[in-house]
Amino acid sequence: MNREANVLFDIPGPRARARNQVLTVVSGVILVAVIVALAWRLNTRGQWEGSLWSPFLEGDVWTNLILPGLWNTVKAAAVASVLALLFGVVFGLARLSDHWWIRIPAGAVVEFFRAIPLLILIFLAFFIPNKISPVIAQSPFGTFQRVMVDTFGWIFGIEITAGVITVPAFAAVVFGLVLYNGSVLAEVFRAGINSIPKGQSEAAYSIGLRKNGVLRLVLLPQAVTVMMPAIVSQLVVLLKDTALGFIIAYSELLQAGFKQIPPNYGNNVLQAGIVVAVIYITMNMLISMLANRLEARSRRSRRTAAKTIGTGTGAPPAAGMSVAGQTPST
């Protein structure tokens, strides 16, 4: 245990270590007993029968249901993650602005969308445009609405016909994920930048950098390491929240694997749930591993780039000592 950990946590003595080992063994035995009891209970109800698991050994189940649902989940999560990160960076930096007319509206947007449940945002994105677009089409803004949908809406499959906007399930899910998770990430970016000691920004200002340069060259590179765990955690939440798309019939992994397979294969709800859960856990572990690798690489690059004043390889020589074989001056 290192010295920093000793400040916050006393090293346990022999009796405490023995007690901890006993508690660990007892907890492990209890956990194993619970798992065995649960498995036995499921076995008595016939939940381990091969007929309930056999559908997941068929290629058609994977190619027609699970893999397309997995692709829709990954697609929605990937698009929403990129847009949510952009949303978080823009509004997080806007909340740090010195101008009140930027800072206050940005804070209002972030707090508003953080306070609304994600499911409601998805519902609003899916149903509201279809209801209000005919009214807008008859107003002076009708042409503007049509131009905006034709220019940008096609990216997400949004269409407008006779003044009525139709939002596909994919666009509604991405819209809700971006607004909710982007607002949370905005707070993560703001808190991460504010966590850097003020001396860093003061030193940057003292050498003539403006605020843009201070943020871009000094604060953000240091804040990335601080923010990385929270960002990864929120991206994992975003990936899991794509499952809410089933409420508007978006054919993601939960909808395809958990809602469509059991009715057609002997009502194997438990088996389908286990398979879907394993897929989600695997994706989340891959995201965490990638983030840990990037964070470790970022730490190594900063340590390698750090140089002391002087020759760049160490501290400058003391007065009176020889340098590179030169005799000291007298």
Side-chain angles (χ1 to χ4, degrees):
M1 186 174 294
N2 57 34
R3 184 175 299 176
E4 294 180 357
N6 295 343
V7 176
L8 302 177
F9 178 72
D10 292 335
I11 299 177
R15 295 180 61 184
R17 287 198 299 269
R19 183 170 59 250
N20 292 339
Q21 291 177 356
V22 171
L23 292 176
T24 300
V25 172
V26 171
S27 301
V29 171
I30 294 175
L31 179 61
V32 171
V34 171
I35 294 175
V36 171
L38 179 61
W40 178 82
R41 184 69 174 176
L42 293 174
N43 183 60
T44 59
R45 293 178 175 270
Q47 292 298 318
W48 301 119
E49 294 181 1
S51 60
L52 296 176
W53 295 90
S54 59
F56 301 101
L57 301 178
E58 299 179 7
D60 293 341
V61 173
W62 287 88
T63 56
N64 297 330
L65 292 174
I66 297 180
L67 291 181
L70 177 60
W71 165 245
N72 289 333
T73 293
V74 173
K75 180 173 62 175
V79 175
S81 296
V82 173
L83 296 179
L85 287 171
L86 292 176
F87 185 100
V89 170
V90 172
F91 281 88
L93 295 179
R95 296 203 66 179
L96 297 173
S97 174
D98 296 330
H99 307 287
W100 67 267
W101 49 273
I102 296 179
R103 184 177 62 255
I104 294 179
V109 170
V110 169
E111 296 299 332
F112 177 77
F113 288 116
R114 284 178 63 200
I116 299 180
L118 174 58
L119 190 59
I120 294 180
L121 289 176
I122 294 176
F123 271 122
L124 292 177
F126 191 69
F127 293 108
I128 292 299
N130 185 267
K131 301 296 183 182
I132 66 174
S133 56
V135 178
I136 298 177
Q138 298 176 1
S139 70
F141 297 97
T143 302
F144 176 76
Q145 174 182 255
R146 179 177 55 80
V147 171
M148 291 298 294
V149 172
D150 291 339
T151 304
F152 301 103
W154 65 270
I155 301 175
F156 299 99
I158 301 174
E159 299 178 350
I160 182 169
T161 304
V164 179
I165 294 178
T166 302
V167 178
F170 170 77
V173 171
V174 170
F175 178 83
L177 291 173
V178 169
L179 291 183
Y180 179 78
N181 293 281
S183 299
V184 176
L185 288 173
E187 284 297 286
V188 171
F189 284 115
R190 184 182 69 86
I193 293 174
N194 285 335
S195 68
I196 304 301
K198 291 184 178 181
Q200 298 289 321
S201 57
E202 291 174 353
Y205 284 124
S206 68
I207 62 175
L209 289 178
R210 296 186 177 182
K211 186 170 185 178
N212 180 32
V214 172
L215 285 172
R216 182 170 53 87
L217 301 175
V218 178
L219 298 182
L220 282 177
Q222 299 181 71
V224 167
T225 303
V226 178
M227 298 183 296
M228 186 62 71
I231 292 174
V232 174
S233 176
Q234 195 59 38
L235 292 181
V236 170
V237 171
L238 186 151
L239 175 63
K240 294 186 294 185
D241 283 345
T242 57
L244 294 176
F246 85 93
I247 204 69
I248 57 173
Y250 180 60
S251 184
E252 41 74 46
L253 180 58
L254 183 65
Q255 170 72 15
F258 193 68
K259 294 295 183 180
Q260 297 184 26
I261 292 179
N264 298 303
Y265 293 93
N267 196 28
N268 55 348
V269 177
L270 176 64
Q271 293 72 20
I274 292 175
V275 172
V276 170
V278 169
I279 296 175
Y280 273 114
I281 292 171
T282 302
M283 290 191 294
N284 292 333
M285 290 181 64
L286 291 176
I287 293 175
S288 299
M289 290 173 59
L290 177 62
N292 292 335
R293 185 180 295 267
L294 292 175
E295 183 179 0
R297 184 175 180 180
S298 176
R299 290 180 184 273
R300 287 196 302 268
S301 64
R302 283 199 298 273
R303 285 198 300 265
T304 305
K307 295 182 179 180
T308 57
I309 299 176
T311 63
T313 58
M321 296 183 64
S322 61
V323 179
Q326 300 178 4
T327 57
S329 59
T330 57

